[in-house]
Amino acid sequence: MSNERSRTRIAPRLVVLALGAACLLAGLDAALVRLSLPALVTGAELAALHGPLMLVGFLGTVISLERAVAARASWAYAAPAASALGCLLLLAGAPQPVGRALLVISAAALCAIYLRVHRRAPAPAVDVEAMGALALLLGNLLWLRGFPLETVVPLWLLLPTLTIVGERLELARVAFLDPAVEALVRALSAAAVLGACFMVVWPTARLATGPALAGLAVVMAYHDVARRTIRADGGVRFMAASMLAGYAWLAVAGLTWSLWGFTGLAGAGYEIIVHAIAVGYAFSMILAHAPVIIPAIVHRRLAYHRAMWVPYALLHAGMAVRVGGLIADSAGIWQAGGALGVAAILVFMALSLTRVVTSGGIASPGGRPGGPLPGRRAAAGGAL
């Protein structure tokens, strides 16, 4: 009976996770099309959906799924399900208002999740994460109204940025963080959101968002326990290295946003900012947190393996090559960097799937398979 209840509870998570993975694979295919490299599926329509598939279809779905699991409410799964389905419907050629409306519903459900969490346990970390959800909701509303992607992408980028900052802030609070630092992080997060909102009508507002993101990178990197655990061995060192590298790319995005904006560096600013956050920062943090988050969702172990350094190296080498190619205005170097990034994500997906399938299940403290992941916050705080 316990095993049956466990399968019943985990099955919807696996379905939603598969939909998010489909968005990711489609987004990677679209990335190859945009890079003018060989791809399984081609077409201008697919290439145009690269950003929504990656930022909303994948990152939005995964973040919403993790929050839905934590909320322990069946209605919360509307957030990740609508996020993935909305993007996949757009990919399938459904009317634009239908797919985009589903994305609005998804973001609204995510905001409702944070409202529930805030009522249950108010904290600065929850406020920061909720700001990212609100930015996503506003971006989706603007896209539904017909605003171009260049207008809504700055808002979309704040979802993974502030979600990760909030998660790290929560873990740091358990360890040693001063309340004054929490207040500073919350203020910087608010400045980033307000700047992105005002950019819709006032492009100079980037001078609020850019420095705020750079400030978040510096403050979080300085206070994150990863600065100390980088001297450890094995999986702990891998997680710390992934997080510190992620903060570095967030700083690059913040500085580029501050100094040149999306149209600077002869048009390369947009590419640098978007990929420094969505790939260099967000995916590096996914590498770091996957051994904690994936088991919490699927109740299967994801043990560290030395092979995990392969996607890490490919990811950050690819980002460095990509940025270098953009600055040098070299299409060949830019393409090589993009190809390395796609390879890094595919290798990570294959490695994670293999490790999860071949690993054992996780039992609850009472011995019931599929129960809540024991000591998740404590384990993450101690290891990371």
Side-chain angles (χ1 to χ4, degrees):
M1 289 294 293
S2 296
N3 289 337
E4 184 66 28
R5 286 195 298 268
S6 175
R7 286 191 292 268
T8 302
R9 182 169 55 249
I10 296 174
R13 305 178 189 178
L14 296 178
V15 172
V16 174
L17 193 60
L19 293 175
C23 290
L24 174 59
L25 292 173
L28 293 177
D29 190 277
L32 294 175
V33 175
R34 291 176 64 88
L35 290 165
S36 300
L37 295 174
L40 291 176
V41 182
T42 60
E45 296 82 2
L46 174 61
L49 286 173
H50 170 62
L53 284 167
M54 298 297 288
L55 290 173
V56 184
F58 174 66
L59 289 175
T61 297
V62 171
I63 290 171
S64 299
L65 178 58
E66 196 274 340
R67 292 290 84 193
V69 171
R72 298 182 182 180
S74 57
W75 61 264
Y77 287 91
S83 179
L85 287 174
C87 286
L88 291 176
L89 283 175
L90 291 173
L91 185 63
Q96 295 286 324
V98 174
R100 297 181 186 185
L102 277 175
L103 299 184
V104 172
I105 293 172
S106 167
L110 181 58
C111 290
I113 292 173
Y114 280 116
L115 181 60
R116 174 189 175 93
V117 174
H118 186 272
R119 287 175 174 174
R120 187 171 59 196
V126 176
D127 295 342
V128 170
E129 294 176 38
M131 290 183 206
L134 286 171
L136 174 69
L137 176 58
L138 178 57
N140 289 347
L141 283 169
L142 291 176
W143 202 35
L144 178 62
R145 290 291 304 274
F147 281 73
L149 283 176
E150 292 77 10
T151 301
V152 303
V153 161
L155 290 162
W156 284 350
L157 290 173
L158 293 180
L159 174 68
T161 301
L162 299 185
T163 299
I164 296 167
V165 167
E167 289 278 0
R168 297 309 305 167
L169 186 64
E170 182 180 9
L171 295 174
R173 186 185 194 189
V174 173
F176 62 90
L177 196 61
D178 190 294
V181 178
E182 291 182 312
L184 175 60
V185 171
R186 184 162 52 183
L188 289 171
S189 301
V193 173
L194 288 174
C197 290
F198 281 116
M199 279 181 62
V200 176
V201 293
W202 186 32
T204 312
R206 67 179 177 80
L207 296 177
T209 299
L213 294 180
L216 283 172
V218 172
V219 171
M220 295 304 297
Y222 181 80
H223 289 282
D224 202 302
V225 72
R227 282 201 311 122
R228 288 181 281 179
T229 56
I230 189 65
R231 295 187 288 272
D233 297 319
V236 175
R237 184 175 187 178
F238 172 77
M239 293 176 180
S242 297
M243 284 185 289
L244 293 177
Y247 288 132
W249 285 115
L250 181 60
V252 168
L255 289 174
T256 305
W257 207 324
S258 304
L259 298 175
W260 298 285
F262 282 88
T263 59
L265 296 174
Y270 183 88
E271 283 271 341
I272 293 175
I273 293 169
V274 171
H275 291 91
I277 292 178
V279 179
Y281 172 72
F283 270 97
S284 190
M285 292 297 187
I286 288 174
L287 290 178
H289 292 87
V292 176
I293 293 177
I294 291 179
I297 294 175
V298 303
H299 287 268
R300 302 282 296 182
R301 303 181 193 280
L302 179 57
Y304 164 76
H305 191 279
R306 286 177 297 177
M308 290 180 176
W309 287 100
V310 174
Y312 172 91
L314 290 173
L315 184 77
H316 297 294
M319 275 301 306
V321 171
R322 184 175 197 138
V323 171
L326 288 168
I327 294 176
D329 195 21
S330 170
I333 297 176
W334 169 67
Q335 288 175 319
L340 285 174
V342 172
I345 297 172
L346 290 175
V347 170
F348 170 70
M349 289 180 67
L351 182 60
S352 298
L353 181 60
T354 301
R355 298 290 290 170
V356 167
V357 169
T358 58
S359 68
I362 296 174
S364 67
R368 178 170 54 86
L373 186 65
R376 176 186 164 198
R377 181 181 297 181
L384 305 185

